[in-house]
């Protein structure tokens, strides 16, 4: 299984200004790098040490360069706590990784839920349908 990383982008920007500056490093002219993973431990290592995307791209982070996806990621910025999300995931008996965002706080839950797909999705249309 694979995802993309962006080696030039800083992993954990310290400020909003730095985050805005770093966000440019995930698009042209910066090239994505495909990274393989085999386990949830690998995903944790990659997503905590690199700026990443669940998509694999030919070169650039752009819809026209889409190759495949092995993960579905949901950003939750309001309306649900981590505990509520974990309860739903457990109730549905799903495999999921929950990672708090850098802007997460006990008052304002912000996090990402990452679900592995049962097979690699290789078309944009299939991804949209999923």
């Amino acid at each position: 299984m694979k995802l993309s990383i962006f080696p030039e982008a800083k992993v954990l920007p310290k400020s909003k200004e730095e985050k805005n500056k770093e966000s440019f490093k995930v698009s042209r002219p910066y090239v994505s790098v495909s990274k393989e993973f085999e386990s949830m431990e690998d995903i944790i290592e990659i997503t905590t040490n690199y700026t990443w995307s669940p998509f694999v791209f030919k070169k650039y982070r752009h819809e026209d360069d889409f190759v495949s996806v092995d993960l579905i990621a949901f950003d939750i910025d309001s309306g649900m706590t981590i505990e509520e999300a974990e309860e739903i995931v457990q109730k549905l008996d799903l495999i999921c990784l929950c990672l708090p965002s850098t802007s997460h706080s006990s008052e304002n839950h912000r996090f990402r839920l990452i679900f592995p797909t049962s097979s690699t999705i290789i078309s944009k249309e299939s991804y949209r349908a999923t």
Side-chain angles (χ1 to χ4, degrees), residues 11-15 19 77 99-105 108 110-112:
V11 180
L12 296 172
K14 303 285 186 226
S15 67
K19 186 176 183 177
D77 292 330
L99 296 174
S101 300
T102 55
S103 56
H104 172 79
S105 69
N108 187 12
R110 299 173 80 100
F111 54 97
R112 178 172 285 155

Side-chain angles (χ1 to χ4, degrees), residues 11-130:
V11 180
L12 296 172
K14 303 285 186 226
S15 67
K16 195 171 215 171
E17 293 78 23
E18 190 176 53
K19 186 176 183 177
N20 288 338
K21 180 181 168 188
E22 293 300 311
S23 69
F24 290 104
K25 295 180 181 175
V26 299
S27 58
R28 280 190 181 114
Y30 299 96
V31 176
S32 66
V33 176
S34 177
K35 188 125 174 117
E36 291 195 36
F37 62 91
E38 294 181 14
S39 66
M40 285 301 241
E41 289 78 19
D42 292 343
I43 297 171
I44 293 168
E45 189 273 326
I46 294 167
T47 59
T48 56
N49 291 300
Y50 297 95
T51 298
W52 64 281
S53 170
F55 305 103
V56 174
F57 302 100
K58 291 176 193 164
K59 190 171 182 180
Y60 301 114
R61 182 178 160 250
H62 190 273
E63 183 178 5
D64 292 340
D65 274 2
F66 174 88
V67 173
S68 65
V69 65
D70 289 306
L71 302 168
I72 304 291
F74 294 98
D75 287 333
I76 311 295
D77 292 330
S78 64
M80 182 181 291
T81 66
I82 288 176
E83 293 77 19
E84 290 168 336
E86 287 175 341
E87 186 178 314
I88 292 168
V89 167
Q90 287 175 359
K91 185 176 181 179
L92 295 172
D93 197 28
L94 297 172
I95 296 171
C96 176
L97 177 62
C98 179
L99 296 174
S101 300
T102 55
S103 56
H104 172 79
S105 69
S106 57
E107 301 82 35
N108 187 12
H109 284 232
R110 299 173 80 100
F111 54 97
R112 178 172 285 155
L113 298 175
I114 304 169
F115 298 89
T117 59
S118 58
S119 61
T120 301
I121 298 170
I122 58 171
S123 78
K124 293 180 271 189
E125 295 75 20
S126 294
Y127 172 74
R128 286 187 189 107
T130 302

